[in-house]
Amino acid sequence: MSHSIINIQPLGFPWKTQDPFLFCAHHRDLYPAGDENMAVPAHLKIGRNIGQDFTIKDGFRMYHGSDIPGFPYHPHRGFETITINKEGIVDHSDSLGGAGRFGAGDVQWMTAGKGILHSEMFPMLHDDKENTLEIFQVWLNLPKASKMVPPHFKMLWKEEVPVIEQTDKNGFTTYIDLIAGRLNEHQSLEPTPNSWAAHPENEVLVVTLKMEAHATYTFPKALNNETRRNLYFYRGNELLIDTSKVSENHSIEVDATVDLKIKNTGNTTAYLLVLQGKPINEPVAQHGPFVMNTQQEIREAFTDYQQTQFGGWPWKEQEQVHHREKGRFALHSDGREEVR
């Protein structure tokens, strides 16, 4: 193993992360053509554990959805979710009256803060062809000082997310979607204001890479010796990272304090997600959707949720989706609406 690689391990479900990240899940589902309700046709739900369907069957999973795949309303407190959409449609609804629909290339960044209920559903808009979905959901922890801030979400629309094209000396190109952080002279859009990523000294970096066959790219080193960097090689054939060969479906923890050379030695395009950041270095107490610093704070989270439902659910359905004809949009709790 090369000196710049700390650890290599197979990808599971979800993927293992390091402080300041808590969780990362990669979802790729080949959903069929939908019915008149943008739902999975009834005959394709036979044999599934509806409500807890996490096993790929016929190319897809229902997750917690009963008719429409996805995650019906559920609470969060004490961290942030970063949902990166590569293909398909995600419908968002929340307990503050917020809503949205976002598609390929868009990113939703949500600060759960002191508590929010939200749903993430995957409506099948097409009734005449497959509805493939590919997303990443990354959980980024909040420091103690920010765990009880007011919840809200922000959209990073694909038209504004920086895409870096780096062509090597042999003419092969790497395409980088810069979702959070700074990479050489390039800067991402601003994250949410209370995020650990909002402070440059924390060196939070979230990027996806698409490397042409035979392309070479060098990641610049981080400035802080505490910063951690993990690569997730989720599709392709083989990479040469420094001097080590790595096959697809592996995560690679690397030394962030040195420049890192990556070469796609496979004969097809390689795809990676990279998560980097300086650790928060605070105690983590987690129970399901709540992430705090102590068990007492977890108990308080459950009590608050039981008493307030974090504002209640203002929508007609637990599996709330928007009209088929609706385009990409974001409706915020203050009434502000973005339309794309």
Side-chain angles (χ1 to χ4, degrees):
M1 187 177 294
S2 66
H3 70 280
S4 59
I5 294 181
I6 298 170
N7 185 40
I8 300 174
Q9 58 183 329
L11 292 176
F13 186 84
W15 298 346
K16 292 184 179 180
T17 58
Q18 289 182 297
D19 185 4
F21 300 97
L22 298 162
F23 171 95
C24 181
H26 175 231
H27 304 279
R28 191 166 198 275
D29 293 278
L30 307 178
Y31 290 118
D35 65 14
E36 66 276 10
N37 298 313
M38 298 180 287
V40 170
H43 72 278
L44 291 176
K45 294 190 295 182
I46 296 171
R48 295 179 179 273
N49 183 18
I50 296 299
Q52 292 284 344
D53 179 31
F54 283 78
T55 301
I56 292 180
K57 179 179 182 291
D58 301 325
F60 68 91
R61 297 157 285 201
M62 291 291 293
Y63 301 103
H64 294 307
S66 58
D67 293 311
I68 297 173
F71 298 86
Y73 79 74
H74 55 282
H76 289 307
R77 170 181 277 189
F79 63 99
E80 300 189 289
T81 63
I82 305 170
T83 306
I84 305 165
N85 191 330
K86 290 298 185 184
E87 192 173 3
I89 291 293
V90 177
D91 275 4
H92 163 90
S93 307
D94 66 45
S95 55
L96 304 179
R101 169 171 286 171
F102 56 99
D106 297 329
V107 178
Q108 187 203 59
W109 196 311
M110 188 185 78
T111 302
K114 65 182 180 180
I116 192 170
L117 271 171
H118 79 146
S119 68
E120 304 149 291
M121 304 304 298
F122 313 140
M124 288 171 287
L125 302 189
H126 304 297
D127 58 10
D128 58 348
K129 62 180 180 179
E130 286 191 342
N131 291 271
T132 299
L133 176 91
E134 183 175 23
I135 63 170
F136 302 92
Q137 185 162 99
V138 178
W139 290 11
L140 175 61
N141 202 5
L142 284 167
K144 183 177 179 63
S146 300
K147 282 192 175 293
M148 296 296 285
V149 298
H152 68 283
F153 74 90
K154 179 175 184 175
M155 289 305 307
L156 310 180
W157 298 110
K158 70 177 180 182
E159 293 87 354
E160 296 155 11
V161 171
V163 179
I164 304 163
E165 296 185 17
Q166 183 74 47
T167 301
D168 62 27
K169 63 181 181 182
N170 295 313
F172 301 110
T173 302
T174 297
Y175 303 89
I176 304 165
D177 287 13
L178 181 55
I179 295 156
R182 186 171 187 84
L183 194 59
N184 294 319
E185 70 276 19
H186 303 281
Q187 179 65 50
S188 72
L189 299 172
E190 290 188 6
T192 49
N194 299 111
S195 179
W196 188 246
H199 306 281
E201 65 271 20
N202 295 330
E203 292 195 289
V204 172
L205 182 70
V206 179
V207 299
T208 60
L209 278 76
K210 177 182 176 182
M211 302 182 71
E212 291 182 345
H214 316 300
T216 299
Y217 179 76
T218 300
F219 257 101
K221 64 183 178 182
L223 301 178
N224 192 304
N225 289 338
E226 294 181 71
T227 299
R228 296 171 173 175
R229 180 183 290 166
N230 284 272
L231 284 60
Y232 302 89
F233 178 29
Y234 63 93
R235 196 189 317 165
N237 293 139
E238 183 182 82
L239 297 176
L240 185 66
I241 300 179
D242 197 353
T243 59
S244 295
K245 292 182 179 180
V246 182
S247 57
E248 71 167 340
N249 291 320
H250 281 83
S251 65
I252 308 100
E253 180 188 354
V254 300
D255 181 355
T257 65
V258 298
D259 292 341
L260 185 71
K261 184 178 179 180
I262 306 170
K263 181 177 177 62
N264 181 7
T265 53
N267 56 10
T268 188
T269 305
Y271 297 83
L272 298 93
L273 170 73
V274 179
L275 301 179
Q276 171 191 293
K278 177 184 172 184
I280 295 174
N281 285 329
E282 292 179 354
V284 174
Q286 179 173 356
H287 195 290
F290 304 141
V291 183
M292 302 300 290
N293 295 109
T294 68
Q295 289 300 321
Q296 176 59 32
E297 290 170 337
I298 292 293
R299 289 190 286 271
E300 290 170 359
F302 274 101
T303 299
D304 288 351
Y305 176 57
Q306 290 168 354
Q307 292 177 349
T308 70
Q309 296 292 293
F310 294 158
W313 191 244
W315 305 96
K316 291 172 57 178
E317 305 290 341
Q318 292 185 20
E319 302 182 5
Q320 182 68 27
V321 295
H322 311 305
H323 294 297
R324 187 190 299 271
E325 296 77 19
K326 191 80 171 173
R328 295 156 57 224
F329 78 100
L331 174 65
H332 299 273
S333 58
D334 60 3
R336 179 173 54 93
E337 186 170 10
E338 304 171 67
V339 178
R340 294 286 163 155

